[in-house]
Amino acid sequence: MTGNSLDRHMPLYAQRTAGMRASAVRSLFAVANRPEVVSLAGGMPYLASLPLEQLSAEVGRLVAEDGLVALQYGSGQGIAELREQICQVMALEGISAHPDDVTVTVGSQMALDLVTRVFCDPGDVILAEAPSYVGALTTFTAYQADVVHIAMDDHGLIPEAVAAAIVAVRESGRRIKFLYTIPNFHNPAGVTMSDERRVEIARICRDAGVPILEDNPYGLLGFDDKVHRAIRADDAENVIYLGSFSKTFAPGLRVGWVLAPHAVREKIVLANEGSTLNPPVFNQMVVSRYLSNFDWQSQVKAYRHTYAERRDAMIGALRTHMPEGTTWTYPEGGFYVWVTLPEGFDAAAMLPRAVTARVAYVPGTAFYSDGFGSRQMRLSFCYPTPERIVEGVRRLAGVLENELEVMRTFGAPLTRQQLRGPSSPSPDTA
Amino acid sequence: MTGNSLDRHMPLYAQRTAGMRASAVRSLFAVANRPEVVSLAGGMPYLASLPLEQLSAEVGRLVAEDGLVALQYGSGQGIAELREQICQVMALEGISAHPDDVTVTVGSQMALDLVTRVFCDPGDVILAEAPSYVGALTTFTAYQADVVHIAMDDHGLIPEAVAAAIVAVRESGRRIKFLYTIPNFHNPAGVTMSDERRVEIARICRDAGVPILEDNPYGLLGFDDKVHRAIRADDAENVIYLGSFSKTFAPGLRVGWVLAPHAVREKIVLANEGSTLNPPVFNQMVVSRYLSNFDWQSQVKAYRHTYAERRDAMIGALRTHMPEGTTWTYPEGGFYVWVTLPEGFDAAAMLPRAVTARVAYVPGTAFYSDGFGSRQMRLSFCYPTPERIVEGVRRLAGVLENELEVMRTFGAPLTRQQLRGPSSPSPDTA
């Protein structure tokens, strides 16, 4: 055996495993979970409004009445009844789909994994927003695909930038496999793609032969009760759509789905079988009964109300406490605000001091594959109460003041150039 | 867009996707699920003895009491309490392990996927029994690893053959990543590795620097109530162990696990997070409460009793009905009998005629990556009642008689040479 003496398996790992690294902030987050820390880091939905008593009875009945089915192996595509209900859910976003084109997955994270598995060889390029969802970047890295980030602003991805990126990547001789986008209430950027841009980006991608992977976990969480029309609604052939019950119902069941053109769907089902044999039947039946027997849309409305109140608390606190030159996005739904600090700040370097001051966030660099984002941070308003959010932002502002003090005394450190990103209410001055 | 006009995405697929093919027998199995067909094909556990009423109450209490935890996101490694309980389960097989080295997965299929992901680049070699579990072969193919099958007999893998294969593969300049084995009540071969061979094979692999991937879903299902000592029990450094609650409790929850040396475990947790974020918390808590609050070992005993009775029914029927020259293994646990037909038969070609005669099985070729197994079939005795099993074997014997009749009239078709395999009670004469 050769190699690292601490890990005798080192010489045996796959190349992709070199890209699997524990986040540098992981150990900090263990601390950040302590109750005295206000965590604006996590993306946990706030479930307290779930009707647990009725759910308890429903789940009990499921086991008593249908236990031998719920506890047995099932189909690699997922149970038919739930796939029909998923089509009804997607119809709210203008999507017309057949249940046969839906595959149920272990959360939409598994759907991301399967789509990447089906499409990406090492070195292939995936286009994604700048910034993009950290879980997607992890998956793309696991398949050794390269992410090319595309500029967005307060109205989402910029169509001209998409077109230019396609040309540039192809001119460099590389293969683009798809454009990954979160059009609604973006994680982490908090912005929403305008309807006009959806149409235009769909056209650009269709014309260029670049499929769109539309990831939409937050689509029903718009605070003005408006549901945006999905990109998939107007292009059934070039768009693969990912959905999830993690934010509209509960993440602990890990039930998501992928809607794909039929030929792609066949590959995805085979990949699903290879990964898990089948998603848990029990969980699918719980979700199916929940959709049938509960007023799930009112529950989503309750979630929206909770999150809107928290968004307001966070935006108000940012206005009150943030130092001059700080900008942030104004999310009309979802869980996240994207904050850009004034020049000279390094959000990743600052995090240990923030945790010491009992507030946590995710540094912007987590959401880029290319090292950008050092002046940005993602603040979540989904889980803490409004009072805790205000207190957390207040603490964060205190940390920033201390940093400013140090910079005034010793001068700002050199930071690398910033990628322009979404930054309402005032423009990113980098 | 170029390529197949039926699937415009064809030019965009990853290379691995070419290896994802629907089984040729898939459409037949849709027919085989009809109630008039006796299916000896599937590996579904028979769950009727589960205490559904008590389970219903327990699951209901879980939601009422701990719903906000059970329905929330969780850790990528799995909940701590269940990992401790899993260590207690593994202790029954002589394994001494720390909960920190256990990762909970979506069934042990997901564990297979993660281990392969962490270790295998395209072209790497995995050693596996001849025949081997079809779901593992699917996963290995998805990662473009090559399987080299190793001869087994009625006492499992043959140590000399393992040693010879390691030398031969390395001499051919290829990298071996691990030996995949199911030591107990093998799927599909129905045989069990002797204790002496476990020690010897562990030594051979350790000396050669080839990790062992020990897959043990059936270990507690020995019909004489004997639990074999796991290979992992005597080698914590070179063995990665996979376990599952699918056969000892219920597969519909999809809860399995992997026990790995600490450095490997870290990679597996990262891969798990990339795949699903975390295995469903709800399901883990159901299993944890089941292990705590139910007499789960008596339930396993009830399963053993059921399956032993069915094994006896199948072996008796094979003795009574099978044509001369047919051989089969005698499983001392688990779900499967491996049948070798007399020369001239082709179990895959015969399957449509068997289904017409209202009996189904899995042709042996499914369990080889190299086209062998054409004279073999896997018969499952786990799900049908003893009466149905006897009727199924009787029908199968009728199909074989018809085939023989055709062969007597027209002569046997040419078949490719057979790989020697386990075949008690009489030797494989191929």
Side-chain angles (χ1 to χ4, degrees), chain A residues 119 152 194 250 320 392:
Chain A
F119 281 96
M152 62 196 304
S194 69
T320 305

Side-chain angles (χ1 to χ4, degrees), chain A residues 16-17 56 71 117-118 252 283, chain B residues 16-17 60 71 117-118 252 283:
Chain A
R16 72 175 67 83
T17 304
S56 161
L71 295 169
R117 181 181 301 211
V118 165
N283 303 240
Chain B
R16 71 175 68 82
T17 304
L71 295 169
R117 181 181 302 209
V118 164
N283 304 238

